[in-house]
Amino acid sequence: MTLAIDRTSTTTPAGTGRVNRAEVVAAQGIPAVAGASLRVPLVTGGDVGYANLDHAASAPCLDAVRSAVDEFLPWYASVHRGAGFASQVSTRLYERTRDVLREFVDARRTDTVVFTRNTTDSFNLLARSLPRHTTVVVFDTEHHAALLPWQGPNVRRLPTPRTRLAAVSAVDEALADSPQGPRLVVVTGASNVTGELLPVAEIAAVARKHGARVALDGAQLAPHRRISLRELDVDYVALSGHKLYAPFGAGALIGRADWLRAARPYLAGGGATKLVTEDAVVWNTGPERHEAGSPNTVGVYALGVACETLSRNWDAVVAHEQVLLTRLRKGLEGIPGCAELRLFDAPVDRVGTVSFVVDGFDPGWLAAVLSAEYGIGVRDGAFCAHVAAKRLIGVAGGDGRQAVRVSLGLGSTEEHVDRVVLALRQIVARGARWEYAKVDGRWAPVGDPRELPPFC
């Protein structure tokens, strides 16, 4: 059974006199997101439409996902072992989502789909599933989710070189110098610091030459570009629903089944077992082997709906983002003292993420001012990629280990881009209009008069 869901309908609040952005983006073929009409208070008084420029951290929920979840919730029940009709519905949707995700990443017919919480959870599962003495090769500029799960003497951390060709060569040399046996190369699809795309297919070709497998961190790539495991020739990909406009707590590890099937269950508990006796346990061998406990059925279904929605709109999604990215980077070039962070010396293809430092301005202070006085949400810090941030900020001329990151997505507009560029120009030229101080290590307006919504 498949729930019949109208995922395109939108309404305009009567009497508001405001343009409903959901209708505009739908006409352009861009999936609409919840919160597109959200307004936030300013510390200087009044309110303004929220400019969400922090998609790389967590993307807003798709309207299609929200509608689908709302329709599913009355049917929600336990999966796999429930005799009730609602349990049959929930089980059908939960298991069908494996096929949706397999198609979303163009996986091989024999690839397995294990539902997890997020990319971090997926890579920790994979790390627990590696055969003994597996050599792991990973760039030290990776996000912590892809950097930290691999521990021990067989881990080779490589500094990311300044060219794509040098990155491929570094992997080639590392694998050539590694001992015989199972080997795994871990690489991100798109940097969460700079948005630049890594040469995944070229790295995979080198890995194949040495008999190594490849695990792709798809957290930042999947919301922006189509992924094909077959074309890239990689063995695993990890995804996060909260990056994919499905913020309901589900993720996935998709890839070859043999290592996962042979590994000890990630968690011990119900659902992972085929038989339990007084003396022994027989574990399942399929993906449920690593999905012990009651699963996040709602989150899994939401992730599947998001993947289906994006798959139907890739051309519009990519075109929309590239227009905004070009506009943003051109605007930042005109801000005195602004230096963009880059992995590679030469321009490369990239998704809509830009990190930068502004000479003489604390990144955390800048982010606080943008939020409080302009209604703009950006990220500041080292972006869970401390090694990368430290190295790249040094190259850009920053005097610390933090930067500001603007990340675009389906909730971003030209007005948002223009607003952040204009705001930065004004801040650099005349400073802030409010006083700020550090509270618990973060910058905040002094005597902030804004009130949180009642449900907080």
Side-chain angles (χ1 to χ4, degrees):
M1 176 179 178
T2 302
L3 296 179
I5 301 169
D6 178 4
R7 297 172 183 159
T8 60
S9 62
T10 59
T11 58
T12 303
T16 62
R18 295 172 181 160
V19 175
N20 189 326
R21 184 172 177 271
E23 294 180 346
V24 174
V25 298
Q28 297 172 337
I30 304 167
V33 299
S37 300
L38 178 67
R39 298 187 71 80
V40 295
L42 301 179
V43 72
T44 50
D47 61 25
V48 68
Y50 184 53
N52 183 355
L53 297 175
D54 195 20
H55 285 69
S58 282
C61 183
L62 284 176
D63 277 355
V65 169
R66 180 171 60 177
S67 297
V69 168
D70 282 347
E71 186 163 0
F72 169 53
L73 283 176
W75 297 89
Y76 169 73
S78 63
V79 299
H80 296 145
R81 296 173 296 282
F85 192 73
S87 289
Q88 296 176 40
V89 171
S90 295
T91 299
R92 172 69 178 273
L93 293 179
Y94 184 84
E95 290 300 330
R96 186 176 69 85
T97 302
R98 297 193 202 274
D99 295 330
V100 171
L101 264 62
R102 191 177 287 109
E103 182 177 352
F104 181 69
V105 299
D106 190 27
R108 297 159 288 262
R109 181 182 57 83
T110 55
D111 284 342
T112 191
V113 177
V114 181
F115 294 125
T116 63
R117 294 180 300 163
N118 45 42
T119 300
T120 301
D121 199 29
S122 295
F123 277 134
N124 275 272
L125 164 59
L126 183 58
R128 287 270 299 272
S129 302
L130 298 183
R132 291 190 64 188
H133 308 303
T134 297
T135 297
V136 177
V137 176
V138 57
F139 289 110
D140 67 5
T141 45
E142 294 283 340
H143 186 281
H144 294 166
L147 179 68
L148 299 182
W150 329 101
Q151 302 292 332
N154 294 324
V155 178
R156 298 283 305 275
R157 288 189 179 181
L158 309 177
T160 301
R162 300 298 299 179
T163 69
R164 288 166 56 93
L165 180 59
V168 176
S169 298
V171 173
D172 192 5
E173 293 172 5
L175 290 173
D177 291 340
S178 64
Q180 292 298 313
R183 286 170 284 185
L184 178 71
V185 178
V186 182
V187 61
T188 190
S191 169
N192 84 304
V193 178
T194 69
E196 292 165 290
L197 271 58
L198 277 289
V200 177
E202 294 87 343
I203 288 173
V206 165
R208 289 286 173 264
K209 182 179 71 172
H210 293 281
R213 296 190 179 189
V214 178
L216 173 65
D217 178 354
Q220 296 295 334
L221 183 62
H224 303 276
R225 301 291 175 86
R226 187 180 73 88
I227 292 176
S228 172
L229 296 190
R230 298 173 194 261
E231 293 177 8
L232 294 173
D233 197 20
V234 301
D235 302 273
Y236 306 95
V237 63
L239 308 173
S240 290
H242 73 102
K243 310 285 190 188
L244 276 162
Y245 305 94
F248 290 84
L253 176 66
I254 308 165
R256 300 195 183 276
D258 53 345
W259 286 1
L260 296 168
R261 187 169 52 239
R264 289 182 59 82
Y266 186 42
L267 297 173
T273 59
K274 184 177 295 184
L275 176 66
V276 178
T277 69
E278 292 83 350
D279 304 313
V281 177
V282 179
W283 301 102
N284 281 317
T285 57
E288 61 271 20
R289 180 183 185 86
H290 300 291
E291 296 175 357
S294 296
N296 180 4
T297 306
V298 173
V300 165
Y301 178 52
L303 176 57
V305 173
C307 290
E308 287 181 318
T309 304
L310 286 171
S311 294
R312 292 194 296 266
N313 295 277
W314 274 129
D315 289 345
V317 168
V318 174
H320 166 74
E321 180 180 289
Q322 291 303 303
V323 168
L324 296 183
L325 178 60
T326 300
R327 193 181 190 98
L328 172 64
R329 296 185 71 198
K330 184 176 180 180
L332 292 177
E333 287 177 358
I335 297 174
C338 182
E340 183 181 316
L341 308 189
R342 298 192 312 181
L343 287 173
F344 302 117
D345 293 331
V348 299
D349 192 11
R350 59 194 299 161
V351 299
T353 296
V354 178
S355 295
F356 57 89
V357 293
V358 180
D359 187 35
F361 291 87
D362 183 290
W365 181 86
L366 278 175
V369 177
L370 289 172
S371 172
E373 300 183 20
Y374 297 90
I376 300 169
V378 298
R379 180 71 37 148
D380 65 278
F383 321 120
C384 287
H386 293 177
V387 177
K390 179 181 178 181
R391 178 175 297 144
L392 298 178
I393 291 170
V395 172
D399 56 2
R401 298 186 180 184
Q402 297 187 338
V404 176
R405 183 181 69 189
V406 172
S407 50
L408 308 168
L410 299 180
S412 306
T413 68
E414 290 186 356
E415 189 276 327
H416 294 165
V417 170
D418 293 344
R419 196 194 315 175
V420 73
V421 170
L422 177 60
L424 287 168
R425 287 176 180 165
Q426 291 177 346
I427 294 169
V428 169
R430 70 186 189 203
R433 289 172 287 174
W434 200 269
E435 183 181 353
Y436 296 81
K438 281 194 174 181
V439 179
D440 296 327
R442 292 195 59 82
W443 288 97
V446 175
D448 190 344
R450 297 172 298 171
E451 294 183 0
L452 296 176
F455 58 80
C456 288

